Amino acid sequence: MLLHFLIAAAGTLLARRYALQRDLLDHPGERRSHQVATPRGGGIAIVVAMLVAILALALRDPSQRWLLGGFGVGLVLVAAVGMVDDHRPLPASLRLAVHALAGMVLAISVQMAAGNPWLSAMAFLSVIVLTNIWNFMDGINGLATSQALLLALALAWLLGGSWALLAGALAASCTGFLPFNFPRARIFLGDGGSGGIGYCLAGLGTIAALTGGAAALWLLLPLSAFMVDAGLTLLKRVVQRERWWEAHTRHAYQAWARVVGHTRVTLAYASWTATTVAVMIVLRSTPVALALALCVVTYLAASVVWWRLERMESHIKTTGDK
């Protein structure tokens, strides 16, 4: 774990130097939530740390070599298209196609390992969903990385063997990057980093489902903050016929951050997710029906919070105008 922490920390420093030299900066604007020009692309250090972990575990545990190999190939695809996009913006359709290819690679690996078409379908869909959600939700300091850290810890607890170690490597890598991004951002993850993190969580979540279907259901709890904010915001933009694939600042977390600041929002989201992780750990041995009921209640509560946050900023503006 210390090795992956150091790889991520040192890699982030190198990525920041590279970004400054190449002028890879995110500048403030109406589609951004930050106020100063900031380097991007630091998340590639997390991807490198994860690839080192995948290689080491494949050498250590030959029985998992093919599944780890498929996991690694998919991660390279997602991170590579994100890195290119960080240098020169690519069409959303091309990025999505590469994400789908990465999901297919992972799905084929899962099918070869488990012979379960439902889990293979889950692998494919979860890669597309979580890869893009982590990209959508990477808009304020520390949010995407802190959420990934908490989920990685939850996955390390759920999983066993090499996969628990891989989840631990993700947690350690996120910890190495986080001080450069929170509370003040000296570098952003970039599309390569945020997409790579989302892919890793999708892959590890699918492997957790191999150990039992209830594990995947319980994982929906700590995913609730991101799933609801990203999902309902996307639905709202589609209904309003906006160009939903373009960058924007319409998420609830962004509206809230404009009122109270990045740090408080990131810590609030972390508190929500840490609480759901604790609930998952305490109640995991209870019947699946309880897990389903808790998921329904949690997502309904998160939806209500999203609705309130969406209206908070406009209410403040209206009150101020009066």
Side-chain angles (χ1 to χ4, degrees):
M1 297 304 100
L2 177 60
L3 172 64
H4 300 298
F5 172 88
L6 293 174
I7 290 173
T12 303
L13 282 172
L14 293 174
R16 186 174 188 276
R17 181 180 301 176
Y18 172 80
L20 290 171
Q21 290 174 348
R22 296 292 298 271
D23 197 32
L24 297 178
L25 304 175
D26 280 340
H27 295 277
E30 62 179 8
R31 295 179 179 177
R32 306 287 183 182
S33 296
H34 57 282
Q35 302 301 318
V36 297
T38 305
R40 64 177 178 269
I44 193 61
I46 296 175
V47 172
V48 170
M50 290 300 292
L51 290 173
V52 171
I54 290 168
L55 178 60
L57 291 171
L59 293 173
R60 171 178 173 170
D61 187 358
S63 67
Q64 298 295 317
R65 187 169 295 171
W66 286 106
L67 192 51
L68 283 165
F71 191 106
V73 170
L75 176 57
V76 169
L77 287 170
V78 170
V81 74
M83 284 183 62
V84 173
D85 189 62
D86 286 333
H87 286 75
R88 182 181 62 188
L90 297 173
S93 57
L94 177 58
R95 299 198 307 271
L96 185 59
V98 175
H99 296 166
L101 178 60
M104 193 175 300
V105 170
L106 182 63
I108 292 172
S109 298
V110 170
Q111 182 64 26
M112 292 175 61
N116 187 325
W118 292 107
L119 281 176
S120 300
M122 174 185 167
F124 177 77
L125 291 174
S126 61
V127 164
I128 295 176
V129 170
L130 292 186
T131 295
N132 285 282
I133 282 181
W134 246 259
N135 182 266
F136 294 158
M137 298 296 288
D138 180 32
I140 64 172
N141 300 347
L143 182 63
T145 310
S146 61
Q147 290 291 304
L149 169 58
L150 291 167
L151 275 158
L153 291 174
L155 284 160
W157 180 81
L158 279 172
L159 292 162
S162 296
W163 297 101
L165 294 175
L166 190 60
L170 178 58
S173 302
C174 289
T175 305
F177 173 82
L178 196 56
F180 299 93
N181 188 242
F182 182 80
R184 181 177 68 87
R186 289 180 282 166
I187 190 168
F188 296 144
L189 282 170
D191 287 351
S194 60
I197 287 175
Y199 174 88
C200 287
L201 292 172
L204 290 168
T206 302
I207 302 304
L210 283 172
T211 65
L217 187 58
W218 281 114
L219 280 172
L220 288 175
L221 282 179
L223 281 169
S224 58
F226 268 28
M227 292 284 283
V228 169
D229 197 344
L232 291 182
T233 302
L234 178 62
L235 178 62
K236 179 180 178 180
R237 298 193 75 209
V238 171
V239 169
Q240 295 178 345
R241 297 184 178 180
E242 299 179 14
R243 296 170 68 87
W244 55 266
W245 56 89
E246 293 184 347
H248 63 93
T249 56
R250 298 282 302 279
H251 287 287
Y253 77 88
Q254 292 168 316
W256 194 15
R258 286 191 289 271
V259 177
V260 302
H262 291 207
T263 300
R264 290 179 64 180
V265 174
T266 295
L267 292 177
Y269 272 67
S271 298
W272 175 285
T273 301
T275 300
T276 58
V277 169
V279 170
M280 180 189 76
I281 291 173
V282 172
L283 298 179
R284 188 196 169 193
S285 60
T286 56
V288 174
L290 177 60
L292 181 60
L294 279 172
C295 283
V296 171
V297 171
T298 301
Y299 276 74
L300 286 174
S303 299
V304 171
V305 173
W306 177 88
W307 180 79
R308 294 290 299 272
L309 292 175
E310 279 283 298
R311 280 147 184 78
M312 179 180 64
E313 187 180 36
S314 59
H315 175 71
I316 290 173
K317 288 181 177 179
T318 302
T319 304
D321 292 340
K322 292 180 180 179

